[in-house]
Amino acid sequence: MEKSRTIKTDVLVIGAGIAGVMAAIKAGEQKADVTLASCTKIFSGSSFYPGTWGFGLVGPEDKEDEKDFIDTILNVGMGMADKTLVETFVSHITEGIDKLRKYEVPLKEAEDKGAAEFIPCFDHKNRQWNGLLQAGAKEALSKQLEKNHINLLPDVEIVQCFKNKGRMTGALGIHREQGFIRIFCKSIIIASGGLGGLFKYRLNTDDVTSMGQYLAMEMGATLVNLEFMQMMPGYLNPCPKTVFNEKVFRYSEFLDCETKKSIFEEDGTDWERALNERSTHGPFTSRMYSKYVDFRIFRHCMKDERGVTVHYKDALKKNQPEFIKTYFDWLKEKKNLTIEDDIQLGIFYHASNGGIMIDSDAATGVEGLFACGEATGGMHGADRIGGLSTANGLVFGSIAGRSAAEYAKKLDIVETEMEIDIPVVKDAARWIERLRQLNFETAMIFRQDDQIRKTLAEIEEIEQKTKDSTTSMGTDEFSYEELKTSCRLRAILALSKGLNQAVLMRKESRGSHYRADYPETDPEYGKRIVLHNGQTEFEIQK
């Protein structure tokens, strides 16, 4: 790691999913000099995840529908969403979709727009629905990046940020071949995705690390709603980490991998009702009767790593609705699987509803630091309507790009000394995997006091052990992998502690957060939990 280079730019964007790409393009359109960095390729993260057949992009049908959409998002969020952010969000979605069309991004519209299959998860009616096609989106948005002269930094892991006199001044990246990259800038946008890096089983690519949230927190930003996340079924085998289409729940049999018998034995649960209801939404929620389906699948995953076997019924094979047919056509083309093939299913982390706290200008409260996309929290709550993750990246990506560019216009670049401080931890990769296993056991579907406390105690032990095995870093003593993994461990440790503290504090069940020892929603906990300066606490009501 003895090589180095220096970059000067107005705006640095960290993360190259839909949020980061839109932020870079918008900042470029404002005539800012923009650098877009990704720890892997450009067009990455959950926005371009290869394990799904496409991404829904949902918005209000028209201006009159906006109020109902806002009210529904707030209702589904169960008091955990910020009303001002939601209003900003909804009022800009149509504009964002129009912008994609202007960029000639191909969007797939439903042939039967009124079909029940196109009602978004947790919503009560059909909305404006578009399918975002990955290949076409990459091609069209690449042209916009080139048109606006965006400097691309693929395969660069941003591991430190710097500020001077209270404002952001730069960041340090590492590259496998180029070594250290010092980036001096006027503003930074974090668009690095959700908290998938905290979990063993995740429907994300490995570049979704949680590093962005950690960097923001280190700079003084606040995190919010960490305990609320989307957990949903995915393939364990074959084609691991492929997203399961929830619309087929009612048409499927779920079998114990060992006995080949149904996992839904008679126990007083109305399984027909639960499966029908489960077919209306992808992520788990404790709000609905369908929760019993997730409970049963997750229990089997905990006792058998093979999960449960899924076999499709003849009724589905003979008659596939449009949304489901699209799914099986994609499976055949991309995964070489057909409706005749059985799969093994498990429960995975999928997406974060919480993250870096921002305002309606995508500002974090730290001068020169902005954030957007799944790295942020506030525009969603305890549950999130389907199709809004893509819309979130589209809307707040553009807002963050505009805000960061406008902020940068007022300033000069300040070339302060970048003191490289990367404590290298022996066996960092092993500790990361242990933390991911702990979070899977404790912070997924079932959450319970005694298990959470055990996990927090072990996190403290790991923190101490890693301190004991830390080596002070020289400039050329360690490899790229050692430096990268040690930085990721530092982030995962801090955020695992914050996540589990939030889970422990919320002694109730609310949306995606289910406490087995507190199964009911409690009005006393109708406040958001924030993480600031390493301290987790309930937000002070304004």
Side-chain angles (χ1 to χ4, degrees):
M1 294 297 296
E2 54 190 32
K3 299 178 182 178
S4 67
R5 62 182 283 208
T6 298
I7 294 172
K8 296 179 184 180
T9 189
D10 292 333
V11 179
L12 169 64
V13 182
I14 304 172
I18 192 70
V21 168
M22 293 303 298
I25 292 171
K26 187 64 177 181
E29 290 175 344
Q30 304 296 307
K31 307 304 180 186
D33 180 56
V34 183
T35 298
L36 176 61
S38 172
C39 64
T40 179
K41 60 186 178 181
I42 305 300
F43 299 111
S44 54
S46 296
S47 303
F48 298 95
Y49 182 59
T52 186
W53 64 102
F55 295 91
L57 173 55
V58 171
E61 290 183 294
D62 48 39
K63 205 69 179 172
E64 292 181 2
D65 190 40
E66 287 187 5
K67 184 181 186 307
D68 179 80
F69 203 20
I70 290 167
D71 291 343
T72 304
I73 292 171
L74 293 171
N75 181 56
V76 168
M78 299 185 73
M80 297 296 107
D82 183 302
K83 185 178 180 182
T84 301
L85 277 185
V86 173
E87 290 172 344
T88 300
F89 181 27
V90 172
S91 66
H92 285 77
I93 293 177
T94 299
E95 173 189 331
I97 294 172
D98 290 343
K99 178 71 76 172
L100 288 182
R101 291 197 174 100
K102 181 181 177 182
Y103 292 159
E104 298 183 343
V105 173
L107 298 174
K108 176 180 173 58
E109 295 186 6
E111 294 179 13
D112 184 3
K113 296 181 180 180
E117 283 78 15
F118 289 98
I119 296 176
C121 297
F122 303 135
D123 208 344
H124 65 94
K125 57 171 289 196
N126 292 95
R127 307 280 181 183
Q128 178 184 181
W129 187 94
N130 296 276
L132 184 65
L133 306 178
Q134 292 185 15
K138 289 179 185 179
E139 182 179 352
L141 294 175
S142 290
K143 293 178 181 177
Q144 293 301 316
L145 292 172
E146 184 177 356
K147 177 182 177 181
N148 288 285
H149 309 292
I150 308 303
N151 178 35
L152 303 181
L153 281 184
D155 302 313
V156 173
E157 182 109 0
I158 303 298
V159 295
Q160 283 182 255
C161 289
F162 298 90
K163 60 182 181 179
N164 183 44
K165 296 181 179 179
R167 75 171 179 89
M168 304 305 300
T169 55
L172 178 72
I174 55 175
H175 186 276
R176 185 179 299 277
E177 297 172 356
Q178 299 175 27
F180 296 109
I181 300 178
R182 291 169 171 83
I183 306 168
F184 294 102
C185 58
K186 303 174 185 178
S187 61
I188 294 176
I189 300 171
I190 294 178
S192 52
L195 297 173
L198 303 187
F199 293 90
K200 177 179 180 180
Y201 296 102
R202 55 197 185 275
L203 296 174
N204 304 126
T205 46
D206 290 340
D207 58 302
V208 181
T209 65
S210 72
M211 181 63 75
Q213 290 88 333
Y214 174 74
L215 293 174
M217 187 168 63
E218 285 288 283
M219 292 296 101
T222 298
L223 307 185
V224 64
N225 284 349
L226 293 187
E227 70 272 32
F228 299 118
M229 64 190 73
Q230 293 197 325
M231 297 161 282
M232 59 193 294
Y235 292 21
L236 290 167
N237 187 58
C239 305
K241 299 176 66 172
T242 298
V243 176
F244 182 71
N245 188 331
E246 74 277 2
K247 305 299 182 183
V248 304
F249 263 106
R250 70 180 74 188
Y251 303 110
S252 305
E253 295 175 333
F254 296 82
L255 310 175
D256 184 286
C257 290
E258 191 68 35
T259 67
K260 308 304 180 186
K261 294 180 179 179
S262 173
I263 67 171
F264 301 130
E265 69 269 12
E266 293 185 12
D267 60 357
T269 304
D270 185 343
W271 290 114
E272 182 178 359
R273 174 192 169 189
L275 286 165
N276 282 336
E277 196 170 81
R278 192 63 185 82
S279 297
T280 67
H281 60 92
F284 163 78
T285 180
S286 66
R287 289 184 299 121
M288 300 167 67
Y289 194 78
S290 55
K291 62 189 174 188
Y292 296 110
V293 173
D294 296 85
F295 291 167
R296 189 57 57 86
I297 294 173
F298 189 71
R299 284 196 183 102
H300 275 73
C301 291
M302 292 298 289
K303 74 175 186 178
D304 188 339
E305 287 190 349
R306 293 174 295 177
V308 300
T309 297
V310 177
H311 176 77
Y312 302 113
K313 296 178 181 179
D314 288 341
L316 179 63
K317 297 175 183 179
K318 295 175 182 177
N319 182 26
Q320 296 177 39
E322 179 188 348
F323 193 90
I324 294 175
K325 185 178 185 304
T326 300
Y327 170 67
F328 281 108
D329 288 347
W330 171 83
L331 269 182
K332 176 62 177 175
E333 179 185 353
K334 298 296 185 181
K335 308 291 182 178
N336 199 31
L337 292 176
T338 74
I339 201 168
E340 300 294 337
D341 296 310
D342 290 348
I343 60 168
Q344 276 70 55
L345 196 72
I347 300 292
F348 291 71
Y349 163 95
H350 179 245
S352 297
N353 287 359
I356 305 164
M357 185 183 286
I358 60 172
D359 63 17
S360 54
D361 290 322
T364 65
V366 178
E367 286 292 313
L369 182 63
F370 303 84
C372 56
E374 198 188 328
T376 64
M379 65 294 300
H380 312 304
D383 279 327
R384 170 171 63 77
I385 290 175
L388 287 189
S389 184
T390 303
N392 177 22
L394 176 62
V395 169
F396 282 102
S398 295
I399 291 174
R402 181 203 67 211
S403 296
E406 289 178 352
Y407 178 87
K409 289 177 182 177
K410 309 171 188 175
L411 303 166
D412 294 322
I413 288 177
V414 177
E415 294 188 47
T416 54
E417 181 66 27
M418 289 189 182
E419 183 179 347
I420 300 174
D421 179 23
I422 305 177
V424 176
V425 179
K426 183 179 179 181
D427 294 332
R430 178 170 66 87
W431 291 120
I432 287 174
E433 289 311 309
R434 179 55 187 159
L435 288 164
R436 286 171 171 169
Q437 178 66 35
L438 284 172
N439 290 329
F440 175 74
E441 293 173 358
T442 303
M444 287 287 283
I445 299 294
F446 285 106
R447 301 171 173 185
Q448 196 156 333
D449 189 281
D450 56 348
Q451 182 62 48
I452 304 164
R453 292 183 186 278
K454 287 179 183 177
T455 289
L456 282 167
E458 187 167 345
I459 289 172
E460 293 284 353
E461 290 177 11
I462 292 172
E463 194 169 35
Q464 186 57 53
K465 288 177 180 177
T466 56
K467 285 179 181 177
D468 294 341
S469 64
T470 295
T471 304
S472 297
M473 196 209 77
T475 57
D476 58 356
E477 295 174 12
F478 299 103
S479 70
Y480 165 81
E481 284 296 331
E482 288 174 312
L483 295 174
K484 180 186 74 173
T485 309
S486 293
C487 289
R488 290 185 179 183
L489 172 60
R490 189 164 51 174
I492 290 171
L493 258 173
L495 291 165
S496 294
K497 183 187 293 186
L499 167 63
N500 281 283
Q501 286 173 341
V503 168
L504 183 65
M505 288 175 64
R506 188 166 292 286
K507 292 178 169 55
E508 63 158 359
S509 293
R510 186 182 292 262
S512 58
H513 169 79
Y514 176 75
R515 283 286 297 265
D517 43 358
Y518 297 97
E520 304 299 326
T521 302
D522 187 342
E524 182 181 340
Y525 291 91
K527 295 178 288 186
R528 302 190 302 177
I529 295 173
V530 297
L531 175 61
H532 185 73
N533 289 334
Q535 299 297 314
T536 308
E537 59 192 10
F538 283 103
E539 186 178 23
I540 297 173
Q541 298 294 299
K542 297 178 182 178

